[in-house]
Amino acid sequence: MSVAVLRRAARETLSGLPREFWWLWTSTLVNRLGAFVATFMALYLTLDRGYSASYAGLVASLLGLGGVVSSLGGGVMADRLGRRPTLLVAQTSTAVSVALLGFVEHPVAIAGVAFLVGMASNASRPAVQAMMADIVRPEDRVRAFSLNYWAINLGFAVSSTAAGFIAEVSYRAGFLLEAGMTLVCAVVVFLKLPESRPEQEEKAVREDSVGLGTVLRDGRFMSVVGLSFLVALVFQQGSVGLPVAMGAAGFTPADYGMAIAVNGVLIVALQIPVTRFIEHRDPRRLLIVSSVLAGYGFGLTAFAGSVGVFALTVCVWTLAEIVNAPTQTGLVVRLSPTHGRGRYQGMYTLSWAVASLIAPVMSGFVIDRFGAEWLWGMCAVVGTAAGVGYAVLMRCLPGEGKDKGKGEGEGKIAVEVKVEVEVEVEATVSGEQAGAAAEPAAAHAV
């Protein structure tokens, strides 16, 4: 492939997105570059503070529980207060709580602050996703979500490496560095990002017309959330089931590090080119294929006996992750009414937060009682079930080509209007074929 072709591909991938998106993207990258707590919390508590592994697990669970609580709260704030105020509050609170975590010493205080860190850090996610949907054109959203996901993984890959060296010097310095970089994100939002929440065109439609009850009653969307939860359970095994299974099989932490590093490297290397390949393809097939591929990618782990084979299985499910993440987020936007995007994104974020709580308990129980092979077999079954679920659910979802003119994610009403218009157009065509006398009536009906 020539340099000219690569330049053209990069230009087509990066062009056409609004300036506000790139500031939001920069905020995401800076935030992930400073990630420290989630990566080294267990080591900090056990090695630096001298607490037990059980206590470290409890704190990690509280960190995840805080994320569960704030998923819906952050979505509601994004719709009621606006995307920008929500981001400012969430990122400032994250900076303060992370800095505080580096100084508290009492076990109860550490646990309480960790819960606050989980709440504050996760509250910004629905607002980021809603703002991205607001400012990016429907036809560019999959590309935008892919670029954002790429920034997340690039930042995490760099921060994980740097955090290891920082931890050798001072864990507290790592906490303060993360707090400072998160505060930089808040400054970027304050200075460069205007509010993007769409104004209501009709006075009859208010911000609170879409409540959490509305989201819960949206059967099709909640089915997507349920399927997302299944897929998330599978992907979580890369960080919870895989290290435990490799350790039980006699592999060292360094072996696991080598195998899982393939995940970050592939995402950084392939996210953009794969996005170019899938950008205009049918999201129905992409979600079905990626779900099944994720399940069987982890399922193949049952046959791994060396670090190289483990790394090969990581390659399989990482490809599924690269395809699934932006496609799934794009589908959530499509099914969300414009004035309720925050709440819908919050519910979607909740599916991943709950999966992060359940996956460690599930994987530990299955490995202890039945063996790691059963866990990987379950992953294959769950991935297949999610794929079948998407196949059934997406039958009634209109193709992307039909709703671009009215904007994706405008909700059920827009879909029903389109269906009625299509029916009337068919009636018009039938009338024209029946004879000239029927033409005026058919035209009036449209």
Side-chain angles (χ1 to χ4, degrees):
M1 186 177 291
S2 66
V3 176
V5 173
L6 289 174
R7 285 179 177 176
R8 185 172 67 251
R11 186 168 56 252
E12 291 175 356
T13 301
L14 302 178
S15 64
L17 296 171
R19 182 177 58 182
E20 292 81 4
F21 165 79
W22 289 112
W23 283 116
L24 190 60
W25 183 89
T26 301
S27 174
T28 298
L29 179 62
V30 171
N31 197 1
R32 288 297 176 171
L33 284 172
F36 185 87
V37 172
T39 307
F40 283 90
M41 174 63 81
L43 292 176
Y44 166 68
L45 293 175
T46 55
L47 298 182
D48 192 68
R49 290 295 184 183
Y51 293 114
S52 66
S54 298
Y55 175 75
L58 173 64
V59 173
S61 296
L62 288 172
L63 195 70
L65 182 61
V68 171
V69 172
S70 66
S71 295
L72 296 179
V76 173
M77 286 177 62
D79 282 340
R80 289 196 172 183
L81 300 181
R83 304 0 174 174
R84 187 169 177 264
T86 302
L87 285 174
L88 288 172
V89 170
Q91 291 175 345
T92 304
S93 300
T94 301
V96 172
S97 57
V98 167
L100 183 61
L101 191 59
F103 290 92
V104 293
E105 298 183 0
H106 194 280
V108 176
I110 292 174
V113 175
F115 177 76
L116 294 177
V117 170
M119 282 188 63
S121 60
N122 208 54
S124 63
R125 294 182 183 179
V128 169
Q129 293 166 342
M131 178 176 276
M132 205 165 291
D134 295 338
I135 62 181
V136 176
R137 295 179 303 175
E139 60 268 27
D140 293 330
R141 283 179 187 150
V142 170
R143 180 158 55 102
F145 287 130
S146 292
L147 288 169
N148 191 65
Y149 192 66
W150 183 78
I152 290 172
N153 284 277
L154 176 62
F156 183 75
V158 174
S159 68
S160 298
T161 304
F165 293 103
I166 295 171
E168 291 183 359
V169 178
S170 170
Y171 282 95
R172 179 173 295 173
F175 289 122
L176 293 176
L177 179 62
E178 178 169 350
M181 297 191 78
T182 305
L183 203 56
V184 169
C185 295
V187 172
V188 169
V189 171
F190 179 76
L191 296 177
K192 298 295 184 180
L193 286 175
E195 176 56 51
S196 67
R197 182 178 54 171
E199 295 293 335
Q200 301 302 328
E201 296 180 359
E202 298 181 8
K203 293 182 180 181
V205 181
R206 297 183 178 179
E207 292 173 3
D208 58 355
S209 63
V210 176
L212 290 178
T214 308
V215 181
L216 292 172
R217 290 191 296 271
D218 190 338
R220 183 171 60 180
F221 177 77
M222 291 306 299
S223 298
V224 170
V225 171
L227 294 174
S228 170
F229 169 74
L230 294 180
V231 173
L233 273 182
V234 174
F235 281 127
Q236 288 288 335
Q237 300 311 319
S239 57
V240 295
L242 185 59
V244 173
M246 289 185 68
F251 292 93
T252 66
D255 293 330
Y256 167 71
M258 291 176 62
I260 201 63
V262 175
N263 174 256
V265 171
L266 284 181
I267 290 177
V268 172
L270 298 181
Q271 185 71 64
I272 292 178
V274 170
T275 297
R276 283 178 52 79
F277 179 75
I278 68 172
E279 186 175 1
H280 300 297
R281 296 184 183 273
D282 188 353
R284 317 171 202 212
R285 293 181 181 178
L286 294 176
L287 288 172
I288 294 169
V289 171
S290 62
S291 300
V292 174
L293 193 62
Y296 281 90
F298 279 99
L300 290 172
T301 310
F303 304 99
S306 66
V307 176
V309 179
F310 276 113
L312 233 122
T313 64
V314 172
C315 290
V316 176
W317 57 260
T318 296
L319 183 59
E321 183 181 359
I322 290 172
V323 174
N324 184 273
T327 308
Q328 179 89 287
T329 310
L331 175 63
V332 171
V333 174
R334 257 179 93 189
L335 296 179
S336 307
T338 303
H339 52 284
R341 280 176 181 157
R343 290 174 173 87
Y344 273 71
Q345 290 290 349
M347 186 64 71
Y348 169 64
T349 303
L350 180 66
S351 67
W352 282 82
V354 173
S356 69
L357 278 181
I358 295 178
V361 178
M362 183 191 77
S363 60
F365 175 80
V366 173
I367 290 174
D368 287 342
R369 294 292 297 271
F370 306 105
E373 292 79 9
W374 278 83
L375 176 64
W376 308 130
M378 286 177 59
C379 286
V381 171
V382 171
T384 302
V388 172
Y390 278 120
V392 174
L393 176 68
M394 303 284 269
R395 286 181 180 177
C396 58
L397 187 69
E400 282 191 304
K402 292 180 182 180
D403 54 355
K404 280 189 178 178
K406 296 186 182 287
E408 296 174 3
E410 294 301 318
K412 295 179 180 178
I413 297 176
V415 173
E416 292 171 358
V417 170
K418 292 187 201 67
V419 173
E420 291 176 3
V421 170
E422 289 173 4
V423 171
E424 296 294 350
V425 169
E426 290 178 1
T428 303
V429 174
S430 300
E432 289 175 348
Q433 293 174 345
E439 290 179 4
H444 179 71
V446 176

